Amino acid sequence: MNLSFMIWLPIGAAMVLFALPWTGWRMPRQLALLVMMTQLVFSICILAGAPAYGLAMGMEQHVAWCPGLGISYHLGVDRLSAILLVLTSLVGLAAVSVSAVKENARYFYGMGLLMAGGMSGAFMSLDLFFMYVFHELALIPTFILIAIWGAERRRAAAMKITLYLGLASLVLLLGFLGLHGAGGGQGTFDLIELRQRLGGGEGLSVQTQTVLFGILLLGFGGLVAVVPFHTWAPAGYGEAPPMAAMLHSGVIKKFGLYGLFRVAIPLLPDGFQQWREILVILAGMNLVYAGYVAMQQKDLRYMLAYASVSHMGYALLALAAGGAIATQGFILFLFAHGVGAALGFGVAGFLRQRTGTAVMGDLGGFARQLPAASTLLTIAALAGFGLPGFAGFPAELMIFIGGFEFSRVVTVLAVWTTVISAVYYLRAVRQIAFGPLPGKWNALTDLSLEPKMALVLLVAALLLAGICPHLLLGDLGGSVSIQMAAR
Amino acid sequence: MLLWLILLLPLASFAVIGLFLLNRPRLASMVSAGTAVTTAILALAAIWKGNSVEPAAVFSWLRVSHLRIDFTPEWDRLAQLMTFVVTFVGALIHVYSLGYMKNDAGKARFFAYMSLFMFSMQGIVLAGNFVVMFVFWELVGLSSYLLIGFWYEKPGAAEAGKKALLVNKLGDFGFMVGILMVWSIFQTVDFQRLGEMAWLSVTGGNEMSAELKSWLMLMGLLLFCGVAGKSAQLPLHVWLPDAMEGPTPVSALIHAATMVAAGVYMLCRIFFFLAWIPDVLTVIAWVGGATALFAALCAVAQDDIKRVLAYSTMSQLGLMVMGVGLGGPAPAMFHLTTHAFFKALLFLAAGSVLVALHHEQNIWRMGGLRAKLPVTFLAFLAGMLALSGVPGLSGFFSKDEILMVAFARDKVLFGVGTAVSFLTAFYMTRLMAAVFAGRARSEAADHARETPAVMLMPLVILALLSVAAGYSFLGVKDALRDFAGFASAAQAGHSPLAFWILAGVPFAGIAAGWLMYRDVSRNDALACRAPLLHRLLAGRLWFDELYDALVRHGQGGLTTVLNWFDTWVVDCCGVKGVSLSTMCLGNLLRCFHSGNLQTYLIYLSLALVILIFWKLALF
């Protein structure tokens, strides 16, 4: 299977949209939907053929591009990448179908396609240069989408998120350049090559590793909204159009975690050991601090944003803990959180489209008037606090089990976070779906068929991955050696 | 196969109703009730086969490294007995609901949730390891949440559902951490494998180190947190009385007969395991005893018919928990079974009263219903006598077993149990007197008519069971005979003194109640004679107020401070500070970020051109 297809189909389609003078909104939207559906089918095929995580990469493509600088167009997938590809196309499909933008529609949907194509590329690249470029290709449209199609305070939000993530990317670039030089001999950006060079005995000194890991942690961590570098998330997601919020929180934000896992930890194992304690403290901060701040939010989108920041702590805990069980939990968590966050922001975006507000106190009693949206909101809430049956539960369970060996305190805080999450999610459901319906919302209409189907697809994915996690993770049988098995 | 059918049929019913039948309430109710009855019949067949039922297929859920979590249906005597209670009472209550929910707008949704509940509850019963039990544990919490908040437009119901799930979640926090400790100590969560280990370490005579002992103690207490949440034990009991906001069949099935008893079931399931940590058992016994007494006292001063029964349920659950804590899981299970029958009966009879009275729940606005609702009255009477522990009825036998163990082990707890028995008879007599005796005290009570047969039939069956379930020919007690722990109860032996005390106390309670509430007026006699005591009990010792204050000032204060910190310190000073210091950079960036798409595209193509040029130049 040709992996390039997953990148260039959406990017090509985006170029077509930018180039053609379509003024209507239907055609661009249909085209984007069609591309996303194709992507979904292809990504599932790739998942079926991908080797389990920890073995070699499959379906590799390798084209020397700039040998002088050690840059090559190198793609390959394993289960982890393939799961993230499925996530990208699933969330992309849902994100396009809940959107109903009519002004400059071709640019809007083109941006969405760029994001999907860029992220597919970032998750498949085995070359740090291309990984970086593809991620930027996905990131920049987020800023544009917020600045142009966002809510009332879009300017300030776009400014903040651009500054923040721009800086984080810059730091990341610095780190990548450091890795490029660190391999010795002629520099290379190739991940596999770097792994062989750095992993083989006479790797880097502990000090160099520590510095490089710190830089990468700052860069990737900024992209993941690690406390205290998280305030871009509520502003950005609060004001973003639903498509951008869904794609960014669901997919693009995962890049930071993916990078730490794929690049930083395997290449700099000694550096990781030095930073491990700090990583686990950061995990605890994210979980509890952001969780309690989420409780105080009045606006559903801001609440979801803080929830998303808080739940990043689970992934950080898994990274810090290492070991086979936490690693599988981490992989499943990326998927579960991505789909769940997209579902939440999808419903929140829909509610705001219909009512013009997402302030929870102004809504209420929607269960009778908007049964489908209310049901989906309830499901997003239940999945959000890790109810068994949804994908989050096995993921968190594995993280708890793996984490408990490493840091009892932070793991107990992580379990406590499920209670914190239940408090704010159930309050949101109580305020929005239950209670009497205020008179002003008597004329609201429910989700139309197409976005409903797309969101139900997300629910189905959550259930499927929650009931049969092995469909995603592959049969692990217990014999797979995990490279980051940490002592 | 049979076991999987028993488990999965209700789930199928839930899915079918949820996906296709939400607009066809009649069909939905038939599907759900039909499934419940079929499941009950299948369950009887499986119990008939007993241990010779063919081993069920294994569903392996998680297998990573040495973590293996499989779902293999457990089918020992304990599971069989509980399956019988769940499916049988469940089926009767489904049939009853056909009448009770007949004209409700959300009937299809109601039956979908009921099926979901039956699935989740059966899952707990069949669970063979801690994680699977936790999974279904949370799912029954979910179905309880959905059913309590079934009339979601009523703010009271919506709040009560939320409260129930949150309090349960609090208990589950402890449960989850307990499971993590089990895993980290034993590297397995499977009941059977743990059982083998327990056996080894007891017979091997290995002395436990003090550290391990304290870890085990902590682990046992954490696991008990889950029980306290689900079975409404102190201090996590506050959700159960509020849960009465749900429809009455829900109160009967979930908040009296089955779900709330799941905590006791789990204690029995892991009793082998708790038995090596005697200190934990002592704590459990005292928590149970305290809950039993506290709830019985509260029940004396409630004015709402369902709340009286809710506190009574809590009190009886306390007795069962106390029984397990005293080393008697078999008596506890016995009482769980008889209690499921007579408490479901009482709730269903109360539901029948409510239907007849158009949902008037205040017992002081009832009265004189004995003649108007004869069948309901007789059923209620049977339930009341069984609950009070009048000799000859099922409640007497099972409560007797628990208190006999208490008599042998701990005289103080025996005293508590006796006091609870007295209070139970007392408040039930009060309830009977207020509801059925005297003259009608409201218009609704005056015009009450007996409810339809579809609701009365389950009442009659349950009434017969409530009377007879204690006798050995029904086999409930025999079912427990080869179940671990029964021996210890038998060892306790029957003390004639205790027997006569237990036989006499219910009559004393009934007599006291009758003396006090013989002449019912619109007010509570207790409120007139001892207003301070009445206020204390009616206020339920102000647990809810205390928790409200804790949440408002503790959690509320914390979140307010953190939110303030986040907005003004992290965001403003930190972020704005940084951005000010990099003002130049910001301005520079702003020039580039024109927000104009074409400009961005130009940058992009420029970058590409530079890159390509660079690459070419290198050659």
Side-chain angles (χ1 to χ4, degrees):
Chain A
M1 186 150 320
N2 194 331
L3 294 180
S4 290
F5 185 84
M6 286 290 294
I7 305 172
W8 299 109
L9 173 71
I11 293 180
M15 292 305 152
V16 169
L17 281 180
F18 293 150
L20 288 179
W22 274 339
T23 49
W25 59 276
R26 266 174 224 282
M27 285 301 283
R29 190 164 178 279
Q30 302 293 358
L31 180 69
L33 277 178
L34 190 68
V35 170
M36 292 298 186
M37 275 189 238
T38 322
Q39 293 280 93
L40 183 58
V41 173
F42 269 86
S43 61
I44 290 172
C45 295
I46 291 174
L47 178 68
Y53 170 74
L55 305 172
M57 289 289 176
M59 306 176 206
E60 280 186 72
Q61 276 182 352
H62 201 163
V63 182
W65 189 65
C66 184
L69 285 173
I71 303 174
S72 59
Y73 178 75
H74 188 181
L75 305 180
V77 291
D78 57 7
R79 279 267 165 186
L80 170 60
S81 302
I83 288 171
L84 291 170
L85 289 182
V86 176
L87 174 70
T88 308
S89 41
L90 200 60
V91 171
L93 180 61
V96 171
S97 37
V98 283
S99 299
V101 166
K102 298 203 168 87
E103 312 110 51
N104 298 323
R106 65 195 176 103
Y107 291 116
F108 181 83
Y109 293 109
M111 291 294 166
L113 288 171
L114 273 187
M115 288 164 94
M119 282 326 286
S120 301
F123 291 139
M124 291 190 295
S125 288
L126 297 178
D127 182 279
L128 294 182
F129 177 81
F130 275 97
M131 191 186 272
Y132 184 82
V133 168
F134 279 130
H135 173 251
E136 290 296 301
L137 188 66
L139 194 57
I140 291 165
T142 319
F143 309 149
I144 301 169
L145 283 170
I146 294 174
I148 298 178
W149 287 276
E152 302 84 26
R153 282 176 285 169
R154 56 179 176 267
R155 281 300 157 103
M159 193 64 204
K160 193 187 250 179
I161 193 172
T162 309
L163 265 174
Y164 249 96
L165 299 186
L167 269 170
S169 301
L170 223 60
V171 173
L172 186 62
L173 187 62
L174 197 68
F176 278 6
L177 289 173
L179 283 176
H180 176 259
Q186 195 192 11
T188 177
F189 280 113
D190 193 282
L191 197 57
I192 308 291
E193 179 81 25
L194 274 174
R195 200 181 291 170
Q196 278 158 4
R197 285 194 202 176
L198 299 182
E202 78 288 15
L204 298 172
S205 72
V206 175
Q207 209 162 18
T208 323
Q209 287 204 24
T210 311
V211 172
L212 271 179
F213 194 93
I215 294 171
L216 288 179
L217 183 61
L218 194 62
F220 283 126
L223 297 177
V224 188
V226 168
V227 173
F229 306 109
H230 65 283
T231 50
W232 60 265
Y237 295 161
E239 304 301 323
M243 181 174 82
M246 287 167 80
L247 271 166
H248 196 278
S249 70
V251 183
I252 300 181
K253 199 159 85 167
K254 303 293 171 293
F255 177 76
L257 298 169
Y258 172 81
L260 282 174
F261 183 72
R262 181 75 98 197
V263 180
I265 294 175
L267 293 189
L268 306 164
D270 295 337
F272 167 61
Q273 289 300 340
Q274 299 297 317
W275 283 91
R276 217 171 159 193
E277 299 293 330
I278 291 175
L279 197 60
V280 84
I281 292 169
L282 288 174
M285 291 264 289
N286 262 56
L287 286 165
V288 177
Y289 173 79
Y292 275 117
V293 177
M295 261 191 212
Q296 195 66 27
Q297 301 308 309
K298 309 273 184 293
D299 185 302
L300 177 62
R301 294 165 304 165
Y302 280 72
M303 187 204 90
L304 290 173
Y306 273 107
S308 174
V309 173
S310 162
H311 292 179
M312 286 302 103
Y314 292 127
L316 295 175
L317 171 62
L319 285 177
I325 299 173
T327 300
Q328 294 301 328
F330 172 81
I331 296 176
L332 190 58
F333 179 81
L334 294 183
F335 183 81
H337 182 266
V339 177
L343 181 63
F345 280 112
V347 178
F350 163 79
L351 289 176
R352 194 177 171 284
Q353 268 171 22
R354 284 291 143 97
T355 62
T357 178
V359 177
M360 290 183 272
D362 291 349
L363 311 172
F366 283 180
R368 187 170 299 279
Q369 192 72 20
L370 309 172
S374 301
T375 308
L376 287 165
L377 176 72
T378 311
I379 292 175
L382 299 175
F385 67 81
L387 192 84
F390 298 106
F393 178 73
E396 285 162 23
L397 179 73
M398 286 189 278
I399 292 173
F400 295 158
I401 287 178
F404 200 68
E405 306 295 319
F406 177 64
S407 166
R408 291 214 168 94
V409 177
V410 176
T411 308
V412 170
L413 286 179
V415 181
W416 180 247
T417 304
T418 62
V419 181
I420 299 177
S421 313
V423 171
Y424 56 74
Y425 274 120
L426 289 179
R427 179 152 61 202
V429 172
R430 160 76 185 86
Q431 285 191 330
I432 295 171
F434 298 161
L437 182 76
K440 57 182 168 177
W441 306 127
N442 270 335
L444 293 182
T445 50
D446 208 352
L447 278 163
S448 53
L449 185 66
E450 193 193 281
K452 188 157 76 182
M453 297 282 282
L455 293 177
V456 167
L457 191 65
L458 295 183
V459 175
L462 283 175
L463 283 173
L464 201 62
I467 296 166
C468 307
H470 290 297
L471 285 182
L472 282 183
L473 298 176
D475 192 16
L476 297 162
S479 63
V480 181
S481 65
I482 301 293
Q483 53 180 338
M484 62 177 271
R487 275 189 306 121
Chain B
M1 198 57 217
L2 206 50
L3 300 181
W4 280 105
L5 269 182
I6 294 171
L7 179 68
L8 293 179
L9 269 181
L11 179 66
S13 157
F14 166 69
V16 167
I17 297 175
L19 291 176
F20 308 113
L21 296 180
L22 280 180
N23 295 321
R24 321 233 353 228
R26 254 186 77 80
L27 190 56
S29 62
M30 290 327 258
V31 167
S32 176
T35 316
V37 173
T38 317
T39 315
I41 294 168
L42 289 176
L44 279 179
I47 293 166
W48 186 261
K49 284 193 194 168
N51 294 335
S52 65
V53 77
E54 74 265 50
V58 179
F59 174 75
S60 63
W61 182 60
L62 268 187
R63 289 191 165 202
V64 178
S65 158
H66 61 307
L67 173 71
R68 268 152 207 275
I69 294 172
D70 298 335
F71 185 23
T72 325
E74 189 87 12
W75 197 240
D76 55 5
R77 297 305 290 261
L78 183 61
Q80 290 169 21
L81 179 66
M82 195 69 184
T83 302
F84 172 70
V85 172
V86 170
T87 57
F88 189 74
V89 177
L92 286 179
I93 290 174
H94 271 79
V95 172
Y96 177 90
S97 307
L98 289 178
Y100 193 88
M101 300 301 287
K102 195 165 182 202
N103 298 316
D104 196 280
K107 189 170 160 188
R109 199 161 49 87
F110 174 83
F111 278 98
Y113 294 162
M114 287 290 267
S115 288
L116 177 65
F117 170 75
M118 292 301 283
F119 161 70
S120 324
M121 187 67 213
Q122 194 56 42
I124 290 187
V125 176
L126 297 178
N129 64 53
F130 274 116
V131 171
V132 171
M133 185 164 270
F134 185 86
V135 166
F136 289 103
W137 199 259
E138 293 245 292
L139 288 180
V140 287
L142 167 69
S143 33
S144 158
Y145 164 73
L146 294 171
L147 281 165
I148 295 170
F150 175 71
W151 288 310
Y152 53 76
E153 282 171 330
K154 272 173 39 188
E159 285 297 333
K162 195 180 91 181
K163 185 173 179 181
L165 191 48
L166 285 180
V167 174
N168 268 291
K169 195 78 201 159
L170 208 57
D172 290 353
F173 162 70
F175 190 9
M176 184 44 131
V177 177
I179 293 175
L180 293 177
M181 290 190 70
V182 172
W183 171 264
S184 90
I185 296 172
F186 301 102
Q187 297 291 303
T188 179
V189 288
D190 194 86
F191 294 142
Q192 271 180 10
R193 291 189 52 198
L194 285 170
E196 288 154 17
M197 284 185 193
W199 189 245
L200 270 178
S201 87
V202 171
T203 53
N206 303 336
E207 280 297 309
M208 272 185 232
S209 68
E211 199 201 345
L212 180 63
K213 218 173 222 166
S214 55
W215 275 118
L216 285 177
M217 168 110 185
L218 185 61
M219 179 194 74
L221 290 178
L222 284 167
L223 291 174
F224 180 65
C225 284
V227 174
K230 196 67 64 194
S231 289
Q233 300 295 296
L234 288 176
L236 297 180
H237 64 284
V238 288
W239 65 272
L240 185 60
D242 290 16
M244 297 300 126
E245 291 282 347
T248 307
V250 172
S251 312
L253 178 61
I254 302 184
H255 305 117
T258 53
M259 182 187 90
V260 285
V264 178
Y265 175 77
M266 184 176 94
L267 283 180
C268 295
R269 174 62 73 213
I270 61 171
F271 182 75
F272 69 88
F273 189 61
L274 297 172
W276 347 330
I277 338 168
D279 294 349
V280 173
L281 281 181
T282 311
V283 173
I284 291 176
W286 279 95
V287 170
T291 309
L293 190 60
F294 162 78
L297 283 170
C298 289
V300 171
Q302 300 303 312
D303 296 332
D304 179 315
I305 183 170
K306 286 179 72 181
R307 280 188 181 244
V308 175
L309 293 178
Y311 277 106
S312 164
T313 305
M314 198 198 286
S315 163
Q316 298 299 309
L317 289 168
L319 279 185
M320 296 175 214
V321 169
M322 184 179 97
V324 181
L326 288 170
M333 275 310 289
F334 186 22
H335 194 53
L336 186 159
T337 312
T338 58
H339 175 260
F341 296 142
F342 58 69
K343 193 51 71 62
L345 169 67
L346 284 169
F347 267 108
L348 294 188
S352 173
V353 170
L354 295 185
V355 168
L357 265 59
H358 308 291
H359 296 272
E360 172 59 63
Q361 303 203 356
N362 189 325
I363 54 172
W364 307 114
R365 300 172 61 77
M366 297 180 180
L369 296 177
R370 185 185 46 192
K372 296 190 180 85
L373 311 173
V375 183
T376 307
F377 167 68
L378 285 175
F380 206 97
L381 185 66
M384 174 259 175
L385 293 176
L387 171 60
S388 304
V390 169
L393 281 82
S394 62
F396 171 72
F397 294 105
S398 53
K399 201 189 283 180
D400 184 59
E401 294 265 344
I402 292 183
L403 292 183
M404 281 298 176
V405 176
F407 188 77
R409 296 281 156 82
D410 191 331
K411 293 286 188 301
V412 182
L413 283 177
F414 175 75
V416 169
T418 317
V420 171
S421 273
F422 174 81
L423 285 168
T424 309
F426 180 78
Y427 66 69
M428 285 312 291
T429 311
R430 168 180 178 266
L431 189 60
M432 286 296 289
V435 176
F436 291 102
R439 235 176 279 128
R441 288 183 301 277
S442 71
E443 194 137 334
D446 209 21
H447 296 123
R449 300 257 303 275
E450 187 62 288
T451 40
V454 69
M455 286 166 68
L456 293 180
M457 191 267 287
L459 283 186
V460 174
I461 297 178
L462 283 171
L464 292 176
L465 276 171
S466 303
V467 172
Y471 293 101
S472 54
F473 68 89
L474 277 184
V476 173
K477 219 168 131 184
D478 288 338
L480 296 160
R481 199 158 296 277
D482 48 345
F483 162 54
F486 190 78
S488 63
Q491 275 163 15
H494 274 241
S495 139
L497 172 66
F499 179 82
W500 287 111
I501 292 177
L502 291 176
V505 160
F507 292 111
I510 292 174
W514 184 246
L515 278 176
M516 191 141 174
Y517 292 98
R518 199 174 29 181
D519 308 312
V520 197
S521 61
R522 277 177 184 277
N523 292 317
D524 193 337
L526 186 68
C528 307
R529 291 192 197 167
L532 268 177
L533 180 67
H534 181 262
R535 273 190 61 195
L536 185 71
L537 296 182
R540 302 169 266 166
L541 299 183
W542 298 290
F543 265 98
D544 292 74
E545 285 74 10
L546 177 70
Y547 289 171
D548 267 357
L550 267 182
V551 167
R552 185 160 306 130
H553 301 300
Q555 177 189 297
L558 179 68
T559 57
T560 313
V561 169
L562 287 182
N563 192 41
W564 181 87
F565 182 80
D566 204 61
T567 325
W568 297 107
V569 180
V570 180
D571 199 28
C572 243
C573 300
V575 176
K576 302 259 162 69
V578 170
S579 76
L580 273 179
S581 67
T582 52
M583 190 63 124
C584 307
L585 180 68
N587 281 334
L588 199 67
L589 278 172
R590 199 171 302 174
C591 302
F592 289 102
H593 286 251
S594 58
N596 183 333
L597 208 68
Q598 276 82 355
T599 324
Y600 288 112
L601 281 176
I602 288 170
Y603 297 153
L604 203 68
S605 18
L606 260 177
L608 273 173
V609 168
I610 292 171
L611 272 172
I612 293 168
F613 192 72
W614 189 11
K615 186 198 162 195
L616 287 177
L618 283 170
F619 284 109

